[in-house]
Coordinates of all heavy atoms in Angstrom, one line a residue:
L27 N 12.5 -19.5 49.7 CA 14.0 -19.5 49.5 C 14.5 -18.3 48.8 O 15.5 -17.7 49.2 CB 14.4 -20.8 48.9 CG 14.2 -22.0 49.7 CD1 14.4 -23.3 48.8 CD2 15.2 -22.1 50.9
Q28 N 13.8 -17.8 47.8 CA 14.1 -16.6 47.0 C 14.1 -15.4 48.0 O 15.0 -14.5 47.9 CB 13.3 -16.4 45.8 CG 13.5 -17.4 44.7 CD 12.5 -17.2 43.6 OE1 11.3 -16.9 43.9 NE2 12.9 -17.5 42.4
S29 N 13.1 -15.4 48.8 CA 13.0 -14.2 49.7 C 14.1 -14.3 50.7 O 14.6 -13.2 51.1 CB 11.6 -14.0 50.3 OG 11.4 -15.1 51.2
N30 N 14.5 -15.4 51.2 CA 15.5 -15.5 52.1 C 16.9 -15.0 51.5 O 17.6 -14.3 52.2 CB 15.8 -17.0 52.5 CG 14.6 -17.6 53.3 OD1 13.8 -16.9 53.8 ND2 14.7 -19.0 53.5
I31 N 17.1 -15.2 50.3 CA 18.3 -14.7 49.6 C 18.3 -13.2 49.5 O 19.3 -12.5 49.6 CB 18.4 -15.4 48.2 CG1 18.9 -16.9 48.5 CG2 19.5 -14.7 47.4 CD1 18.9 -17.7 47.2
R32 N 17.1 -12.7 49.3 CA 16.9 -11.2 49.1 C 17.2 -10.5 50.4 O 17.7 -9.4 50.3 CB 15.5 -10.9 48.6 CG 15.4 -11.0 47.1 CD 14.0 -10.3 46.7 NE 13.6 -11.1 45.6 CZ 12.6 -11.9 45.5 NH1 11.8 -12.1 46.5 NH2 12.3 -12.6 44.4
Y33 N 16.8 -11.0 51.5 CA 16.8 -10.3 52.8 C 17.9 -10.6 53.7 O 17.9 -10.2 54.9 CB 15.5 -10.4 53.4 CG 14.4 -9.9 52.6 CD1 13.4 -10.7 52.1 CD2 14.3 -8.5 52.2 CE1 12.3 -10.2 51.3 CE2 13.3 -8.0 51.4 CZ 12.3 -8.8 51.0 OH 11.4 -8.4 50.2
R34 N 18.9 -11.4 53.3 CA 20.1 -11.7 54.2 C 21.3 -12.0 53.3 O 21.2 -12.1 52.1 CB 19.8 -12.8 55.1 CG 19.6 -14.2 54.4 CD 19.4 -15.3 55.4 NE 19.4 -16.6 54.7 CZ 18.7 -17.6 55.1 NH1 18.0 -17.5 56.2 NH2 18.9 -18.8 54.5
D35 N 22.4 -12.0 54.0 CA 23.6 -12.4 53.3 C 23.6 -13.8 52.9 O 23.2 -14.7 53.7 CB 24.9 -12.2 54.2 CG 25.1 -10.7 54.5 OD1 24.7 -9.8 53.8 OD2 25.7 -10.4 55.6
I36 N 23.9 -14.1 51.6 CA 23.7 -15.4 51.1 C 25.0 -16.2 51.2 O 26.1 -15.6 51.2 CB 23.1 -15.5 49.7 CG1 24.0 -14.7 48.8 CG2 21.7 -14.9 49.7 CD1 23.6 -14.9 47.3
D37 N 24.9 -17.5 51.3 CA 26.0 -18.4 51.2 C 25.8 -19.5 50.2 O 24.7 -19.5 49.5 CB 26.5 -18.8 52.5 CG 25.3 -19.7 53.2 OD1 24.4 -20.0 52.5 OD2 25.6 -20.0 54.4
E38 N 26.7 -20.4 50.0 CA 26.6 -21.4 49.1 C 25.4 -22.4 49.4 O 24.8 -22.8 48.5 CB 27.9 -22.3 49.1 CG 29.1 -21.5 48.6 CD 29.8 -20.7 49.6 OE1 29.4 -20.8 50.8 OE2 30.7 -20.0 49.3
V39 N 25.2 -22.5 50.7 CA 24.0 -23.4 51.1 C 22.7 -22.8 50.6 O 21.8 -23.6 50.1 CB 24.1 -23.6 52.6 CG1 22.8 -24.5 53.0 CG2 25.3 -24.4 53.0
D40 N 22.5 -21.5 50.8 CA 21.3 -20.9 50.3 C 21.1 -21.0 48.8 O 20.0 -21.4 48.3 CB 21.3 -19.4 50.6 CG 21.2 -19.1 52.1 OD1 20.6 -19.9 52.8 OD2 21.9 -18.1 52.6
C41 N 22.2 -20.9 48.1 CA 22.1 -21.0 46.6 C 21.8 -22.4 46.2 O 21.0 -22.7 45.3 CB 23.4 -20.6 46.0 SG 23.7 -18.9 46.1
M42 N 22.4 -23.4 46.9 CA 22.1 -24.8 46.6 C 20.7 -25.2 47.0 O 20.1 -26.0 46.2 CB 23.1 -25.7 47.4 CG 23.0 -27.2 47.1 SD 23.4 -27.6 45.3 CE 25.2 -27.3 45.3
E43 N 20.2 -24.7 48.1 CA 18.8 -25.0 48.4 C 17.8 -24.4 47.4 O 16.8 -25.1 47.0 CB 18.5 -24.4 49.8 CG 19.1 -25.1 51.0 CD 18.8 -24.5 52.3 OE1 18.4 -23.3 52.3 OE2 19.0 -25.2 53.3
L44 N 18.1 -23.2 46.9 CA 17.2 -22.7 45.9 C 17.4 -23.4 44.6 O 16.3 -23.7 44.0 CB 17.6 -21.2 45.7 CG 16.8 -20.5 44.6 CD1 15.3 -20.5 44.9 CD2 17.2 -19.0 44.5
L45 N 18.5 -23.9 44.2 CA 18.7 -24.7 43.0 C 17.9 -26.0 43.2 O 17.3 -26.4 42.2 CB 20.2 -25.0 42.8 CG 20.5 -25.8 41.6 CD1 20.1 -25.2 40.3 CD2 22.0 -26.2 41.6
I46 N 18.0 -26.6 44.3 CA 17.3 -27.9 44.5 C 15.8 -27.7 44.4 O 15.1 -28.5 43.8 CB 17.7 -28.5 45.8 CG1 19.2 -29.0 45.7 CG2 16.9 -29.7 46.2 CD1 19.8 -29.4 47.0
A47 N 15.3 -26.6 45.1 CA 13.9 -26.3 45.0 C 13.4 -26.1 43.6 O 12.3 -26.5 43.2 CB 13.6 -25.2 45.9
S48 N 14.2 -25.4 42.8 CA 13.8 -25.1 41.4 C 13.8 -26.3 40.6 O 12.8 -26.6 39.8 CB 14.8 -24.1 40.8 OG 14.8 -22.9 41.4
V49 N 14.8 -27.2 40.8 CA 14.8 -28.5 40.1 C 13.6 -29.4 40.5 O 13.0 -30.0 39.6 CB 16.2 -29.2 40.3 CG1 16.1 -30.6 39.7 CG2 17.2 -28.4 39.6
R50 N 13.3 -29.5 41.8 CA 12.2 -30.2 42.2 C 10.9 -29.7 41.6 O 10.0 -30.6 41.2 CB 12.1 -30.2 43.7 CG 13.1 -31.0 44.5 CD 13.0 -30.9 46.0 NE 11.8 -31.6 46.4 CZ 11.3 -31.3 47.6 NH1 11.7 -30.4 48.4 NH2 10.1 -31.9 47.9
L51 N 10.7 -28.4 41.5 CA 9.5 -27.9 41.0 C 9.3 -28.3 39.5 O 8.3 -28.7 39.0 CB 9.4 -26.4 41.2 CG 8.3 -25.7 40.5 CD1 6.9 -26.2 41.0 CD2 8.4 -24.2 40.8
E52 N 10.4 -28.0 38.7 CA 10.4 -28.3 37.3 C 10.3 -29.8 37.0 O 9.5 -30.2 36.1 CB 11.7 -27.8 36.6 CG 11.7 -26.2 36.6 CD 10.5 -25.6 36.0 OE1 10.0 -26.0 35.0 OE2 10.0 -24.7 36.7
T53 N 10.9 -30.6 37.9 CA 10.7 -32.1 37.7 C 9.3 -32.5 37.9 O 8.7 -33.3 37.2 CB 11.7 -32.8 38.7 OG1 13.0 -32.4 38.3 CG2 11.6 -34.3 38.5
F54 N 8.7 -32.0 39.0 CA 7.3 -32.2 39.3 C 6.4 -31.9 38.2 O 5.5 -32.6 37.8 CB 6.8 -31.6 40.6 CG 5.5 -31.9 41.0 CD1 5.2 -33.1 41.7 CD2 4.4 -31.0 40.8 CE1 3.9 -33.5 42.0 CE2 3.1 -31.4 41.2 CZ 2.9 -32.6 41.8

Side-chain angles (χ1 to χ4, degrees):
L27 291 168
Q28 287 172 328
S29 69
N30 290 350
I31 288 175
R32 277 190 210 113
Y33 298 116
R34 68 177 189 208
D35 293 334
I36 61 170
D37 60 10
E38 295 84 7
V39 174
D40 292 325
C41 293
M42 186 60 73
E43 287 176 341
L44 180 56
L45 176 65
I46 291 169
S48 296
V49 170
R50 288 179 66 200
L51 175 59
E52 292 308 312
T53 302
F54 183 79

